[in-house]
Structures are given as C-alpha cells and as structure tokens.
Amino acid sequence: TQLLEQSPQFLSIQEGENLTVYCNSSSVFSSLQWYRQEPGEGPVLLVTVVTGGEVKKLKRLTFQFGDARKDSSLHITAAQPGDTGLYLCAGLGGSQGNLIFGKGTKLSVKP
Amino acid sequence: NAGVTQTPKFQVLKTGQSMTLQCAQDMNHEYMSWYRQDPGMGLRLIHYSVGAGITDQGEVPNGYNVSRSTTEDFPLRLLSAAPSQTSVYFCASSLIVNSNYGYTFGSGTRLTVV
C-alpha cells in the first residue's frame, strides 16, 4: 500500500513568517500534486510536479519534487492570513493510477 | 461552466435508511471518483469510474454502491446507513485516469447518520 506522510499536522504562525510543509513516502510516484482546501469547500489544485528535482513557483509558494520522486515540499515565504487552510499532497499511484492523499497540514496564519 | 456539482450539501439520516448522493460534471471528464474525508484520516477513495459503464472499488467501498450510466453523472448510494458513515463526501473528476492535470472537486456533502 502506498502511503503519503505529511508533516507537520498543524502549524500556527504569525503573518510574515516563512514555513515549509513536507510530504514523504517510501514509494515512487509518477507525479505529486498539492491542493489547498478551505472550510466547507473541496480541495483546489495548486500545482503538479512530475520530474524528479523539479521546482515550481506560484507567487510566494515554492514546490519541490524530490530527486527520487518519493517526497515533496511546499515552502511559503512571508505567509499571509489568506494562506490559512488545509494543504494536501497527493500522489498518482495504486493499481489503477488513482490519487492517494496525505492526511494534510492545517495552516493558520495570524495577523 | 459549473464544474463538479454535488447535492445535497447537508443530510441527516437515521440508521438503516438509504439515500443517493448526486454528482454531476459538465467538463466531459472521463474519470470520476468518490472520496470520504474524516478527521485524522484524510481523503479515502470509495469508488471510481474511468468511463461510462465502468466502475471499480477504492480503499473503503463497503456499504456503498455506484453506477455510471452517462459521462456526466456518478451517483453514490448508501444502502443501509450506519453511524460509521458519518463523514464529508467529495466527488472529484479528471480528464482521464492517471492525469497530471489534477482533479476538480465538488464542494462536498456533509452526512450525519444518527
């Protein structure tokens, strides 16, 4: 069974601070996706990383895929209250190529 | 362009009752799936479909049925509701299975079984 472990589970920081969220597995994934979910809504795709070592930037968010395609990280620079939410990593795997989700990191950014 | 539409938004059922959660997408996506989200458990796959007439089980299929008679619709049926099925249910779709384009999620159905 392919598993994705996210850390930390909870993160509470002040506006302006930097943070990193980690997504680790013992399995290789063909790609990893990051989603953000707000209360009462479904997850929304932020980015997909496909190539080992790939780095993608989305404004203040930087996503990296590990060289061995087993792990990924999300770094937020100068966090803002609008970044508050549940961040989910997900990997394409399984026998049918379904999306397997980590349990998420709940981020709270206080003004 | 509505994306993925789920109904109802909220539902309370009594133990033993049955009901159908509706999911419709207007993006001509081949792949559709149902997940449940529980505190501390993350999103777990219930059933999925790679096209009309084709369905398969995910990680937690017991107590649920699905069918896919059209590309657009993928309803989830609870046969005899149990308190353990209290959860938030999400329908998601993607252009194709194994897609790097990501999933589009509905806004969820919060189900309480008493």
Side-chain angles (χ1 to χ4, degrees), chain A residues 28-49:
Chain A
V28 175
F29 288 92
S30 59
S31 69
L32 274 179
Q33 302 174 10
W34 284 91
Y35 291 79
R36 179 167 165 262
Q37 184 179 17
E38 297 194 35
E41 297 296 328
V44 176
L45 179 71
L46 294 173
V47 77
T48 300
V49 284

Side-chain angles (χ1 to χ4, degrees), chain A residues 5-38:
Chain A
E5 301 285 343
Q6 278 189 247
S7 62
Q9 192 175 357
F10 299 97
L11 197 51
S12 181
I13 61 172
Q14 294 295 128
E15 182 175 1
E17 293 183 9
N18 301 331
L19 66 113
T20 302
V21 175
Y22 300 94
C23 178
N24 296 299
S25 176
S26 58
S27 304
V28 175
F29 288 92
S30 59
S31 69
L32 274 179
Q33 302 174 10
W34 284 91
Y35 291 79
R36 179 167 165 262
Q37 184 179 17
E38 297 194 35

Side-chain angles (χ1 to χ4, degrees), chain B residues 11-109:
Chain B
Q11 183 70 50
V12 179
L13 286 180
K14 293 183 179 179
T15 297
Q17 286 184 320
S18 63
M19 78 159 295
T20 299
L21 279 62
Q22 301 292 344
C23 175
Q25 52 91 8
D26 61 357
M27 299 170 286
N28 205 30
H29 282 178
E30 288 188 1
Y31 179 86
M32 296 185 75
S33 56
W34 278 100
Y35 285 85
R36 59 178 289 173
Q37 187 174 36
D38 303 289
M41 300 296 290
L43 283 157
R44 294 181 291 168
L45 182 65
I46 304 171
H47 284 286
Y48 64 96
S49 168
V50 298
I54 306 169
T55 63
D56 207 344
Q57 296 180 353
E59 179 186 355
V60 288
N62 292 340
Y64 308 95
N65 272 358
V66 292
S67 60
R68 183 108 180 259
S69 56
T70 66
T71 300
E72 294 78 20
D73 299 298
F74 191 44
L76 178 72
R77 297 182 192 85
L78 278 70
L79 307 174
S80 177
S84 62
Q85 294 179 304
T86 293
S87 186
V88 182
Y89 291 85
F90 288 100
C91 178
S93 72
S94 183
L95 189 60
I96 56 173
V97 67
N98 234 340
S99 170
N100 288 329
Y101 292 103
Y103 286 17
T104 301
F105 282 83
S107 58
T109 295

